[in-house]
Amino acid sequence: MAKIIQEEWKIQVPFHLDYTLQCGQAFRWKRFQDRWVGFIKDFLVEVQYDPQTHWMKIRAKPVNSNAVFSREQIEEYFGLKDSLSMIKETTIAKLRENGYAWFIPKMEEMFQKSAGLRILRQELWEVSLSYLLSTQTSIPAIETKLHRLCGLFSENELEWEGESFFRFPSHSQLSSIKTEVYQSLGFGYRSGWVYQFVQQYVSSEFQALKTESLERKVAFLLRFSGIGYKVAHCICLFGFSEMGAFPVDVWISRWLNEVFSVKGNSDTLTHVGQKMFGRYAGYVQEYIFNYCRNLKPGGGWI
DNA sequence: GCCCAGGGGTAGT
DNA sequence: ACTACCCATGGG
């Protein structure tokens, strides 16, 4: 019987757990009343965070015998090492440099509204497949697809307080899955993409990419069928921690048009966003996304 | 039922 | 290079 690890400590930097896990960068965290349950590395983790006291409580169950727990790992995963104030100042300086000083108050408001939202450090393999499934799909529907995919492997099941959770399938597990199975899971026209991606995926190639530039990463990813600019930038932002990546989906596209009157296809708008917002365009993008999605039709903030 | 979703591929200009 | 159109499915 695996031993449960319990730890709690005070977070010394701004943090918003709900925004971070709800904003559509990760799809498999499950929320209960005041806590979230999901996987970090080799642990099934229950996270509680009190925004008043800034205390984080963790309970973690190892999924294998060589799992080693550390706070470091948790803080790394939640992006707690990112300096949000530095990111904000750098972005604002960039806006001024680019002649968008008029937008700075609005930018500050957006940082304020999404305060504490951080980019997670997720695993490349899971991120890649998740966003391969994300095309023309709502976030709840992506969650359904991934839930079904994970449910294929009963050996990956772990129990937590009467609920079952499934580890994400490994590369070798998926390598024996046929296209028809993906179709039976409701992947639709993405089924072939997923099949091909699994066949073509070489872990060492992805690991080797980590030291390459964002441009080289994107170019590599674009060679896969089903990965275009948007998905490639999502994989770079959420899987490679490339904070300058700028995924353009329908929300970002509409927003850029409404606020800056720019139009174009995905790759054009990607470069526009990168130039406009600079080194941390990915963080800005996430704040824009969270902003748009939390905006009520009338204009207020939910 | 209807509309749209964290888009991408392809064929036609 | 740019555009138009199709793609299969599920959640709201």
Side-chain angles (χ1 to χ4, degrees):
Chain A
M1 200 55 179
K3 192 177 174 185
I4 307 288
I5 292 152
Q6 295 197 44
E7 282 210 34
E8 52 186 298
W9 67 96
K10 188 167 182 176
I11 303 299
Q12 306 289 353
V13 294
F15 185 45
H16 199 303
L17 179 64
D18 293 338
Y19 282 167
T20 300
L21 293 181
Q22 262 173 0
C23 68
Q25 58 176 322
F27 306 100
R28 294 191 333 106
W29 283 89
K30 184 166 180 181
R31 187 186 187 157
F32 294 92
Q33 308 299 328
D34 58 341
R35 61 198 68 191
W36 292 84
V37 179
F39 290 92
I40 299 177
K41 300 279 186 183
D42 291 329
F43 291 89
L44 177 59
V45 178
E46 181 195 271
V47 189
Q48 269 182 281
Y49 178 71
D50 185 337
Q52 306 301 321
T53 64
H54 308 293
W55 277 77
M56 178 182 266
K57 293 185 186 178
I58 298 281
R59 288 200 292 157
K61 181 180 186 176
V63 302
N64 57 43
S65 53
N66 49 14
V68 179
F69 183 89
S70 71
R71 264 184 210 188
E72 164 86 13
Q73 215 169 51
I74 303 294
E75 297 194 332
E76 163 80 13
Y77 178 82
F78 283 111
L80 291 166
K81 295 175 182 175
D82 294 340
S83 170
L84 298 184
S85 57
M86 185 271 286
I87 288 169
K88 176 181 166 184
E89 291 314 314
T90 304
T91 301
I92 284 173
K94 189 69 180 178
L95 285 172
R96 187 171 287 118
E97 177 191 327
N98 284 340
Y100 292 113
W102 59 269
F103 187 70
I104 291 173
K106 189 70 180 173
M107 191 80 258
E108 286 179 325
E109 181 194 336
M110 297 180 76
F111 269 89
Q112 183 54 40
K113 294 215 186 231
S114 292
L117 192 167
R118 290 167 181 277
I119 304 289
L120 297 168
R121 265 61 172 181
Q122 304 181 69
E123 282 180 27
L124 209 38
W125 166 245
E126 178 170 344
V127 166
S128 301
L129 283 166
S130 299
Y131 282 95
L132 201 47
L133 288 173
S134 74
T135 59
Q136 204 65 24
T137 307
S138 66
I139 290 173
I142 297 169
E143 293 170 351
T144 300
K145 287 176 172 50
L146 289 170
H147 184 74
R148 290 176 184 166
L149 180 68
C150 295
L152 287 176
F153 303 94
S154 58
E155 63 269 34
N156 292 359
E157 185 175 5
L158 270 87
E159 196 182 317
W160 183 262
E161 301 195 337
E163 297 252 358
S164 65
F165 293 85
F166 289 78
R167 277 225 287 168
F168 196 78
S170 66
H171 181 216
S172 63
Q173 282 178 317
L174 288 187
S175 61
S176 61
I177 301 297
K178 302 296 179 196
T179 307
E180 301 80 59
V181 178
Y182 296 131
Q183 281 170 345
S184 75
L185 299 179
F187 291 5
Y189 60 81
R190 306 162 197 83
S191 302
W193 296 347
V194 174
Y195 177 78
Q196 288 181 52
F197 182 82
V198 172
Q199 298 308 312
Q200 295 168 6
Y201 179 86
V202 179
S203 178
S204 58
E205 290 181 2
F206 275 71
Q207 301 311 316
L209 269 184
K210 288 181 178 175
T211 54
E212 300 280 352
S213 66
L214 171 59
E215 289 70 25
R216 293 281 296 267
K217 291 184 175 90
V218 170
F220 175 85
L221 293 167
L222 287 176
R223 298 191 318 208
F224 290 93
S225 183
I227 299 183
Y229 267 85
K230 195 272 177 184
V231 171
H233 275 259
C234 281
I235 295 172
C236 287
L237 178 56
F238 302 126
F240 282 113
S241 306
E242 283 279 2
M243 300 309 168
F246 193 82
V248 175
D249 62 15
V250 290
W251 296 90
I252 303 296
S253 178
R254 279 196 293 251
W255 184 87
L256 284 172
N257 184 19
E258 284 167 16
V259 180
F260 292 94
S261 303
V262 290
K263 294 182 184 180
N265 52 27
S266 177
D267 59 338
T268 305
L269 292 181
T270 291
H271 297 309
V272 167
Q274 288 182 303
K275 256 187 203 168
M276 194 177 291
F277 302 116
R279 200 177 316 160
Y280 301 103
Y283 253 100
V284 177
Q285 188 272 359
E286 211 48 25
Y287 290 162
I288 297 169
F289 186 70
N290 197 47
Y291 181 83
C292 293
R293 280 171 30 89
N294 283 302
L295 217 52
K296 287 189 288 191
W301 178 264
I302 294 173

